[in-house]
């Protein structure tokens, strides 16, 4: 068996095209241009790259992009005051504070200061609770992207057995909630799960989000299963740095029915879903119908 490759780059381009259509419609029919504000504290090189990419993608989709770059020694009071101003600004529909923050800042406090309706990362405790109880929430971007790809590949997920390897608040836990919402039978596993390979082999859908390079070998994959690899790990191989996932791609692709590659799988979907969340937030703010297919 050779797995079907789920092309996240192509699917993300499709999602971004849908976002752009909805943005154009909001402008034409309601005079509304959604706006995304991204806050970066300090000069972490990787974070700066992410912020530039998010700003560029926002503008390409026809939305307004507001970047706030603050020095690394910004006080907590200053950062919270900025978030307060963005919460009150009707031109800003989405607020994203780039993580990680400098160590002197309390990330939980900062995230929970964002207005829940503008929390396009879906990290606010109110959105976590809404998602966990099956109510309308802002959904974290990476698991939302995984869900979109699964729905596109399978149609209905009802009755499928899903195993999520990883229990982070950013991916593992919300991924499990989304799969439950689509009527899967869900197990959350992790690095300390007993007989982890045996647990994984039960899965019709296997989502690897544990943050360990190539931890999941092919013999942990049920023949014909769909494998979603969320991991992005930089390792040295053959004298150069390469990107690999949490799944051993070569061995898993021989067993799986479908698999996401790294790079080019889940990664491109994260920014696409950030844009989708911003449009959804704008529609909710104005009491308009939400775009179909761009949220859970």
């Amino acid at each position: 068996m050779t797995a079907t490759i789920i092309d996240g780059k192509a699917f993300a381009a499709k999602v971004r095209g849908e976002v752009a259509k909805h943005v154009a419609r909001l402008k034409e029919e309601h005079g509304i241009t959604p706006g995304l504000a991204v806050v970066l504290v300090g000069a972490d090189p990787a974070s700066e790259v992410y912020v530039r990419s998010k700003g560029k993608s926002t503008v390409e989709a026809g939305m307004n992009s507001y970047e706030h770059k603050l020095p690394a020694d910004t006080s907590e009071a200053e950062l919270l005051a900025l978030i307060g101003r963005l919460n009150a600004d009707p031109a800003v529909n989405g607020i994203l504070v780039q993580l990680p923050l400098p160590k002197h800042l309390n990330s939980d406090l900062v995230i929970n200061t964002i207005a829940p309706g503008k929390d396009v990362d879906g990290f606010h405790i109110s959105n976590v609770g809404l998602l966990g109880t099956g109510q309308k929430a802002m959904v974290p971007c990476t698991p939302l992207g995984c869900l979109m790809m699964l729905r596109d590949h399978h149609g209905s997920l009802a009755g499928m057995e899903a195993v999520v390897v990883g229990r982070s608040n950013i991916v593992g836990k919300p991924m499990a909630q989304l799969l439950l919402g689509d009527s899967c039978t869900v197990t959350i596993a992790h690095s300390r799960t007993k007989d982890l390979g045996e647990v994984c082999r039960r899965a019709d859908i296997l989502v690897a989000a544990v943050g360990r390079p190539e931890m999941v070998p092919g013999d942990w994959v049920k023949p014909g299963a769909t494998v979603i690899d969320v991991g992005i790990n930089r390792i040295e191989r053959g004298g150069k740095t390469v990107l690999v996932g949490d799944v051993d791609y070569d061995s898993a692709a021989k067993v799986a029915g479908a698999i996401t590659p790294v790079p080019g799988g889940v990664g491109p979907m994260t920014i696409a879903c950030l844009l989708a969340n911003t449009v959804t937030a704008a529609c909710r703010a104005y009491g308009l119908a939400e775009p179909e297919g761009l949220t859970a």
Side-chain angles (χ1 to χ4, degrees):
M1 181 182 294
T2 302
T4 298
I5 296 172
I6 299 176
D7 187 341
K9 191 173 181 181
F11 192 66
K14 180 181 172 184
V15 171
R16 296 209 284 207
E18 289 298 310
V19 168
K21 287 180 188 175
H22 286 293
V23 170
R25 193 173 301 129
L26 285 173
K27 288 180 180 178
E28 183 179 345
E29 296 179 4
H30 303 283
I32 297 167
T33 301
L36 173 64
V38 179
V39 179
L40 174 64
V41 184
D44 178 76
S47 292
E48 287 185 323
V49 170
Y50 290 142
V51 167
R52 277 198 301 272
S53 179
K54 288 168 183 173
K56 182 171 178 282
S57 298
T58 303
V59 172
E60 286 175 351
M63 295 189 279
N64 290 328
S65 175
Y66 308 102
E67 291 185 11
H68 297 268
K69 296 182 179 180
L70 307 177
D73 60 356
T74 297
S75 71
E76 199 161 78
E78 290 172 316
L79 178 54
L80 296 181
L82 170 60
I83 293 171
R85 292 193 296 274
L86 296 174
N87 284 341
D89 187 347
V92 174
N93 303 110
I95 302 170
L96 181 150
V97 177
Q98 184 66 44
L99 301 176
L101 289 168
K103 291 182 179 179
H104 69 283
L105 299 172
N106 182 334
S107 296
D108 289 338
L109 175 62
V110 170
I111 294 304
N112 288 323
T113 301
I114 298 171
K118 296 188 178 189
D119 167 38
V120 286
D121 259 339
F123 296 162
H124 191 289
I125 192 65
S126 293
N127 283 317
V128 173
L130 290 167
L131 179 61
T133 52
Q135 299 180 69
K136 187 182 290 186
M138 296 306 301
V139 179
C141 300
T142 299
L144 177 58
C146 296
L147 182 70
M148 285 182 179
M149 289 193 290
L150 286 166
R151 285 174 172 172
D152 182 69
H153 182 72
H154 286 288
S156 173
L157 307 183
M160 300 181 78
E161 183 153 0
V163 173
V164 179
V165 185
R167 49 182 166 174
S168 73
N169 293 330
I170 293 173
V171 180
K173 291 175 185 175
M175 186 76 250
Q177 296 290 354
L178 289 170
L179 290 166
L180 278 172
D182 270 30
S183 299
C184 292
T185 300
V186 182
T187 300
I188 300 180
H190 44 80
S191 59
R192 296 187 183 181
T193 297
K194 289 183 180 179
D195 300 322
L196 179 56
E198 198 62 40
V199 172
C200 291
R201 276 189 286 272
R202 297 201 310 255
D204 303 308
I205 296 170
L206 179 60
V207 181
V210 74
R212 295 192 181 184
E214 300 176 329
M215 176 181 165
V216 178
D219 64 5
W220 287 12
V221 177
K222 177 181 178 179
T226 299
V227 178
I228 304 293
D229 191 349
V230 182
I232 300 178
N233 309 284
R234 295 182 186 277
I235 65 168
E236 292 292 323
R237 178 170 289 164
K240 58 184 179 180
T241 301
V242 295
L243 282 180
V244 299
D246 292 350
V247 176
D248 178 18
Y249 181 86
D250 289 342
S251 63
K254 294 174 183 175
V255 182
I259 191 169
T260 59
V262 177
V266 174
M269 287 298 296
T270 299
I271 290 182
C273 289
L274 173 66
L275 303 177
N277 276 352
T278 303
V279 172
T280 296
C283 291
R284 290 177 183 175
Y286 289 96
L288 301 172
E290 295 176 25
E292 289 186 17
L294 294 184
T295 189

